[in-house]
Amino acid sequence: MVCHNHNNTVIEGRDHTIYLVGSPNVGKSVVFSKLTGHHVISANYSGTTIDIMSGELRLGAETWQVIDLPGIYSLNASSEAESVTARALTNDGVIICVLDASHLSRDLQLAFDIQNYHKPVMYLLNLVDVAERQGITIEEEKLSRLLGAPVIPTVATKNIGIEEIKKTIPHLSHEASQKDKKLRGQSDQLIENIIQEVESYTPHPPAYLDRIGDLLIKPFPGLIFAVLILLIALAVVVGGGKGLRALILLPLINDWIIPFITNIVDLVVDQGVIHRLLVGEFGILVKGIEWPFALIFPYVLLFYFVLSFLEDSGYLPRLAILVEGLLSKIGLPGQNIVPFIMGYGCAVPAILGTRAATSYKQRLIVTSLISIGVPCTAQTGAFIALLGDQSMLALGFVFGLSILVVCLAGILLNHIIPGEKEAVIIEVPPLLLPDRSAIFKKIAFRLKHFLVEAEIPMMLGILLAAVIVETGLINWLGHALEPVIVHWLGLPKEASLTLILGIIRRELAVMPLLDMQLTTLQLITGAVVALFYIPCLSVFIVIVKEFRLKIASYLLIGTTLFAIFMGGIVYQIGQWLP
Amino acid sequence: MKLPNCQRGKNFRIINLPHDQMLSIFSIASGSIIKVLAKQPFKGPVLLQINRRKVAIGYDIAKQIIVEEVVGFGLS
Ligand SMILES: Nc1nc2c(ncn2[C@@H]2O[C@H](COP(=O)(O)OP(=O)(O)OP(=O)(O)O)[C@@H](O)[C@H]2O)c(=O)[nH]1
Ligand SMILES: [Mg+2]
């Protein structure tokens, strides 16, 4: 056994770092979450982690800093993720290299390359359950001897092996002792020999999940399933959301919570400006509760439920492969499809997610398309609240228009933005039955994020609205914007408020229209403007960070003009229709 | 024969292929045996199996991969 006084002589916080390294999608982030208790997003496709995450692990009296790194196939620093990892590994610390038990031959090269960093290292043989399902068994003692370092079999999602990892970490203070002559060279032959030695494969009929996984990815019946799955997803989000809203949240909030708050405010505050700011037309205690919780929350909740399920099952990359042929024609090849789908949740992770494996051109296209015409869940919820009760057809029209514009914009951008077509190579992950507690954790994580991210700006937006209305600024604004709002878009003057609030958050470009008693045509016009209007403030900031201020400004100006242009066209045409 | 022209369900040996690091990571190299599992519509990716793993290769690279059919080789 190796003792750890080596550690004690080293300055605090230096030798106490653990790096989680491994191929994409082997379960590093799950291991990270289990070790640190600090939830990070994991999902069943490559490139989930795009940034370095760090958390703490307490082992006895010592605190270890655990670092979750983006998945890499090699250490050649040929992609952004690989250079991030290679750079991180130049610091001191120990390495936990996560291997995929069902794809050991792919991971062995990396397992050896990691030893060139001359750090204490241990290996996890993760996804043992999946390997077993496929008839693969690995003798970890033999592997451990060949690699010259501890090898721990794990099923990270089920907590199997996690305690063993914690027990082993303190004893890791020597670099791998693998000095065996016959292991020199690291050729393909060597890897093959090791596989021969440690892996046994019992061919057996594929497990039912593997069979379904294969069917889902063949054009037939895969495409039929794709349509079905999307319809079910839509039904769950739109139908379920309406149900939740109408049956539970609206009665609860409008009949109980808001009257309760209003009564208290009536008692405490005298009639006047303050009173109106709190519980008036745009009272933050009224709209600040009704809008986010009653109108938007149900859709966000259900969307993330569906998305988390699809993510963890491994369906998304399958869908991407099925439709790649079509989508590559609108500038969304291979690796960009999953982040693009995420854009229907929130644009921020979607734009960050394009970092994983794609070129500048592709990133720019995905970012532009999402900014121009992909509504986030919150805005979708607002659309449903605005249009869904009036006419489902109107709702369908707005979404149809969104898809049409995204396709046309994609084709156009694909032509005008210079850049190489990139190679599309997507590994198909195994189909997994998502773990219930993992899904709940993930939804909770995202909802918390949504509430923090959305509630404060929404409150501020509503406060701004209240101030604009109460101070009479609205009249001035309405007057100033009259040519656009009234003459071109056919909306009432007060609708100018949406253009101001829409800068803060996407759904705020929709919400003020709710109480304006608009005709169906006006509702559609307002929704179209909101749809194409500028992405919200946080998205703008992300675009500035990821690209440049110049690009962000182009998008800002472009989307604003385009939104007003499209809204006007819809209104002007709509007027002539019966 | 170019990879996208291959018949689904059959095994092929790779004769020539473009240089791409990702391909070699998935051990798709000259001489390796692959099975074509599916070809996606609209010039979509070719889905192939190599060893026990499934990889989708975009049409643009797939058409640069030259293969020959292998008969009687069991890659289930
Ligand atoms: N069945 C099973 N699933 C697992 C296991 N470990 C992880 N998973 C699942 O595998 C998927 C990938 O896990 P992640 O933790 O996101 O993988 P990662 O290595 O962080 O991936 P990148 O960040 O993309 O490099 C997730 O859907 C996990 O729930 C395991 O031992 N067994
Ligand atoms: Mg990860």
Side-chain angles (χ1 to χ4, degrees):
Chain A
M1 201 183 77
V2 184
C3 61
H4 48 90
N5 38 13
H6 171 67
N7 282 346
N8 300 341
T9 57
V10 170
I11 314 152
E12 256 289 324
R14 282 205 116 199
D15 212 49
H16 283 70
T17 307
I18 303 171
Y19 296 98
L20 281 162
V21 187
S23 297
N25 209 38
V26 293
K28 297 176 296 300
S29 296
V30 177
V31 172
F32 176 86
S33 298
K34 299 284 178 186
L35 286 179
T36 62
H38 178 80
H39 185 84
V40 291
I41 290 283
S42 64
N44 191 5
Y45 50 79
S46 303
T48 313
T49 306
I50 32 119
D51 227 337
I52 296 181
M53 301 297 287
S54 98
E56 281 185 354
L57 165 66
R58 288 204 72 90
L59 289 175
E62 293 182 328
T63 304
W64 294 73
Q65 189 189 19
V66 187
I67 312 265
D68 184 21
L69 293 164
I72 48 167
Y73 285 116
S74 74
L75 284 159
N76 299 343
S78 62
S79 76
E80 177 67 24
E82 284 172 13
S83 28
V84 165
T85 299
R87 228 177 302 129
L89 289 182
T90 55
N91 300 319
D92 283 345
V94 304
I95 295 175
I96 296 184
C97 178
V98 187
L99 310 174
D100 178 346
S102 65
H103 286 324
L104 191 59
S105 60
R106 172 196 67 189
D107 288 354
L108 275 181
Q109 187 64 55
L110 185 66
F112 281 117
D113 289 350
I114 223 73
Q115 301 190 347
N116 295 337
Y117 285 87
H118 303 292
K119 290 188 172 47
V121 59
M122 77 198 250
Y123 296 93
L124 305 188
L125 202 53
N126 195 34
L127 292 146
V128 172
D129 55 334
V130 174
E132 220 162 78
R133 180 176 110 189
Q134 297 173 349
I136 301 167
T137 32
I138 295 187
E139 293 180 60
E140 69 262 10
E141 294 92 7
K142 265 192 199 163
L143 183 62
S144 167
R145 238 176 300 129
L146 291 169
L147 287 168
V151 172
I152 300 172
T154 56
V155 182
T157 40
K158 298 209 176 69
N159 264 323
I160 297 173
I162 302 294
E163 280 312 308
E164 188 74 23
I165 304 174
K166 292 183 185 168
K167 272 188 222 140
T168 313
I169 289 170
H171 308 302
L172 283 178
S173 35
H174 273 212
E175 64 181 82
S177 61
Q178 178 264 121
K179 293 288 175 273
D180 202 325
K181 285 263 159 49
K182 74 173 196 233
L183 286 182
R184 284 284 169 84
Q186 308 175 2
S187 63
D188 294 351
Q189 193 54 47
L190 166 76
I191 287 176
E192 206 153 293
N193 291 344
I194 295 181
I195 294 291
Q196 293 268 317
E197 188 101 347
V198 301
E199 184 178 295
S200 52
Y201 174 56
T202 341
H204 68 130
Y208 80 100
L209 272 176
D210 290 322
R211 253 178 304 174
I212 299 173
D214 290 348
L215 284 182
L216 288 176
I217 203 168
K218 303 221 158 112
F220 177 82
L223 284 169
I224 297 174
F225 277 115
V227 172
L228 277 179
I229 290 172
L230 289 185
L231 285 179
I232 294 173
L234 212 64
V236 169
V237 176
V238 177
K242 272 185 97 161
L244 266 185
R245 181 165 67 101
L247 295 178
I248 304 176
L249 290 164
L250 272 181
L252 181 72
I253 289 175
N254 284 353
D255 299 345
W256 294 91
I257 298 180
I258 290 180
F260 177 73
I261 293 175
T262 315
N263 283 339
I264 294 185
V265 172
D266 283 344
L267 286 178
V268 181
V269 186
D270 291 332
Q271 295 288 332
V273 177
I274 305 276
H275 186 271
R276 286 203 298 276
L277 283 181
L278 290 177
V279 294
E281 190 190 348
F282 286 104
I284 40 172
L285 293 182
V286 175
K287 298 299 179 203
I289 291 173
E290 186 196 331
W291 285 357
F293 292 106
L295 300 184
I296 299 207
F297 184 78
Y299 300 103
V300 177
L301 171 76
L302 290 169
F303 178 84
Y304 281 133
F305 172 75
V306 171
L307 182 73
S308 304
F309 187 87
L310 290 180
E311 271 183 347
D312 281 12
S313 66
Y315 184 64
L316 291 180
R318 286 179 166 76
L319 180 65
I321 290 168
L322 276 178
V323 297
E324 208 274 338
L326 264 188
L327 291 196
S328 66
K329 299 190 175 52
I330 63 163
L332 292 175
Q335 291 88 336
N336 295 290
I337 298 174
V338 173
F340 179 77
I341 294 173
M342 309 274 287
Y344 282 91
C346 173
V348 174
I351 292 170
L352 294 177
T354 58
R355 270 190 204 165
T358 56
S359 67
Y360 182 78
K361 167 177 175 162
Q362 302 306 341
R363 296 198 63 196
L364 193 55
I365 293 182
V366 175
T367 306
S368 313
L369 294 185
I370 291 176
S371 309
I372 294 169
V374 174
C376 62
T377 48
Q379 198 182 31
T380 302
F383 283 148
I384 299 172
L386 184 73
L387 300 169
D389 299 336
Q390 293 264 340
S391 126
M392 277 314 236
L393 203 66
L395 191 62
F397 172 78
V398 171
F399 278 91
L401 189 64
S402 151
I403 292 171
L404 184 73
V405 165
V406 165
C407 291
L408 293 179
I411 295 172
L412 190 72
L413 290 173
N414 199 20
H415 270 99
I416 58 176
I417 300 178
E420 291 277 300
K421 256 194 186 167
E422 69 194 89
V424 172
I425 297 176
I426 307 173
E427 188 173 11
V428 184
L431 203 65
L432 298 176
L433 215 53
D435 180 62
R436 207 178 328 147
S437 74
I439 294 253
F440 280 135
K441 277 215 189 96
K442 199 150 137 177
I443 297 174
F445 176 81
R446 286 177 158 157
L447 285 183
K448 208 167 89 189
H449 197 73
F450 166 76
L451 289 180
V452 174
E453 281 282 296
E455 184 58 20
I456 295 165
M458 196 128 50
M459 287 281 201
L460 288 177
I462 291 165
L463 186 65
L464 182 68
V467 169
I468 291 177
V469 171
E470 292 304 326
T471 54
L473 211 61
I474 184 75
N475 296 325
W476 178 84
L477 202 67
H479 190 71
L481 292 175
E482 192 172 332
V484 174
I485 298 285
V486 180
H487 302 314
W488 173 242
L489 296 173
L491 294 171
K493 271 188 193 170
E494 313 91 77
S496 50
L497 205 54
T498 59
L499 293 189
I500 304 297
L501 295 194
I503 299 173
I504 303 176
R505 282 188 60 82
R506 274 193 140 161
E507 68 272 27
L508 284 180
V510 183
M511 299 311 239
L513 300 171
L514 274 169
D515 300 324
M516 287 184 192
Q517 271 91 35
L518 303 178
T519 65
T520 307
L521 179 60
Q522 285 178 318
L523 288 177
I524 296 176
T525 309
V528 167
V529 174
L531 172 68
F532 297 122
Y533 197 51
I534 53 182
C536 71
L537 211 53
S538 7
V539 176
F540 181 75
I541 293 169
V542 168
I543 299 177
V544 173
K545 271 196 209 142
E546 295 290 303
F547 297 90
R548 265 167 300 142
L549 183 62
K550 197 167 108 189
I551 298 224
S553 319
Y554 283 159
L555 276 172
L556 197 69
I557 297 167
T559 48
T560 307
L561 295 178
F562 185 66
I564 290 170
F565 171 75
M566 285 301 282
I569 297 285
V570 167
Y571 172 68
Q572 305 294 341
I573 293 178
Q575 249 188 331
W576 295 105
L577 296 179
Chain B
M1 189 172 16
K2 290 177 179 173
L3 190 53
N5 304 333
C6 289
Q7 201 184 337
R8 186 158 58 80
K10 294 205 165 151
N11 294 316
F12 299 88
R13 177 181 296 111
I14 295 180
I15 299 177
N16 203 350
L17 76 173
H19 200 75
D20 188 299
Q21 201 207 345
M22 284 290 279
L23 288 175
S24 58
I25 284 161
F26 292 107
S27 37
I28 299 171
S30 175
S32 26
I33 309 279
I34 51 142
K35 180 177 177 182
V36 174
L37 295 178
K39 293 187 283 181
Q40 307 300 348
F42 303 107
K43 296 198 175 170
V46 178
L47 182 69
L48 42 91
Q49 180 173 347
I50 176 142
N51 301 325
R52 279 186 302 274
R53 109 194 235 238
K54 293 169 188 122
V55 183
I57 312 274
Y59 187 85
D60 288 323
I61 320 179
K63 70 178 183 211
Q64 299 175 51
I65 300 181
I66 311 294
V67 297
E68 65 179 2
E69 191 173 340
V70 207
V71 240
F73 186 91
L75 192 91
S76 58

